[in-house]
Amino acid sequence: MLRRRFRAGTEYAVQSIVLMALLLGMALSVGGVECAPEAFPVCDLYNRIVASIGADSTLTIPHWFWKEENVACIYILVPAEVPIQGYDPVAKIEALRAILIPYYDLGGIGVYVSVVLEGYLPICGELPDAVDLGADPTSTVAGLFNIALAENPHFIEAFVPTERPFGVDNVVAVFTRAVIGYPEHYDPFYGGRLFYKNYVAEQLFEQVIRSEYNNELSVSFTSPVQE
């Protein structure tokens, strides 16, 4: 009887060890694929977008993926319904597509940023249609910012200035003075430590949002004066 219990206990222990090893191997293999040294620039960009655009709790940003060799896709999902008065998913998708940088060349790795309705597949490998700025480009761009970032806690407002220091015919996007930190990557030269990057909100958003339209209209990123 004791031998049977011992044998059963030993088999259970062995099975547990094997299972843990398999799970650990899977975790390492996934991590190796997603954030291998050659993929660090993509991981960093993804973390940057999650920390800034992803601060909007209505949005979902799944993990990025390889579409093909050296072509990655980051996609942002917009829900069809949100309990917010006046919420329009179509308008939000169009606005996000208009203000976000849609493509990055990260030293031989191309990264597409796709915005789609939740439940639909990402549009990876294609750039969004050109933005129609209409007869009043500055007001149009300011409106796009206000729609796209309405639920983002780091965004305050976008407006068209009528006097200096920002100048006429530009758009000003105002963000909070919050400091946003996000993980960069594990650095093997420092014992595998996880490093963080810290940016003031306006600086981080400026890295993922378009600052020029039609080579004429420019967007300035700023924060309110500290009281």
Side-chain angles (χ1 to χ4, degrees):
M1 179 68 73
L2 290 175
R3 288 183 178 178
R4 289 181 182 176
R5 288 182 179 176
F6 178 78
R7 187 179 302 164
T10 302
E11 290 175 355
Y12 177 79
V14 171
Q15 290 174 358
S16 298
I17 293 172
V18 171
L19 178 60
M20 289 298 295
L22 287 173
L23 291 174
L24 180 59
M26 289 173 62
L28 290 175
S29 65
V30 170
V33 170
E34 293 175 344
C35 279
E38 64 272 14
F40 280 161
V42 186
C43 294
D44 182 70
L45 174 60
Y46 170 80
N47 290 337
R48 210 181 307 164
I49 291 174
V50 169
S52 55
I53 303 303
D56 180 342
S57 61
T58 68
L59 302 175
T60 301
I61 307 180
H63 205 283
W64 67 274
F65 65 91
W66 292 111
K67 179 178 183 290
E68 56 189 74
E69 186 177 5
N70 295 329
V71 177
C73 183
I74 297 172
Y75 61 116
I76 300 169
L77 302 179
V78 176
E81 295 182 6
V82 172
I84 297 175
Q85 186 175 4
Y87 176 80
D88 183 346
V90 174
K92 183 154 186 167
I93 290 172
E94 292 178 348
L96 281 168
R97 286 177 178 173
I99 73 167
L100 290 177
I101 298 173
Y103 178 77
Y104 297 78
D105 183 351
L106 303 179
I109 298 177
V111 183
Y112 290 89
V113 178
S114 173
V115 183
V116 295
L117 188 67
E118 199 167 24
Y120 286 76
L121 294 175
I123 306 169
C124 190
E126 300 179 19
L127 296 177
D129 295 334
V131 183
D132 182 6
L133 300 181
D136 188 357
T138 51
S139 295
T140 299
V141 171
L144 290 169
F145 268 75
N146 287 318
I147 293 172
L149 303 176
E151 283 76 47
N152 195 302
H154 297 298
F155 176 71
I156 297 177
E157 66 170 333
F159 66 94
V160 180
T162 56
E163 57 186 21
R164 296 181 182 280
F166 297 104
V168 184
D169 296 331
N170 290 326
V171 173
V172 177
V174 186
F175 296 87
T176 65
R177 297 185 65 84
V179 175
I180 304 175
Y182 67 88
E184 184 184 15
H185 57 73
Y186 287 97
D187 193 329
F189 294 103
Y190 291 91
R193 292 181 185 174
L194 179 63
F195 284 84
Y196 279 76
K197 288 186 176 180
N198 295 291
Y199 288 97
V200 176
E202 64 175 283
Q203 297 173 335
L204 184 55
F205 279 87
E206 190 173 9
Q207 294 180 18
V208 300
I209 293 178
R210 295 176 57 181
S211 59
E212 290 188 358
Y213 291 81
N214 298 345
N215 297 320
E216 297 177 358
L217 189 156
S218 62
V219 180
S220 298
F221 295 77
T222 189
S223 297
V225 176
Q226 191 169 15
E227 296 180 356

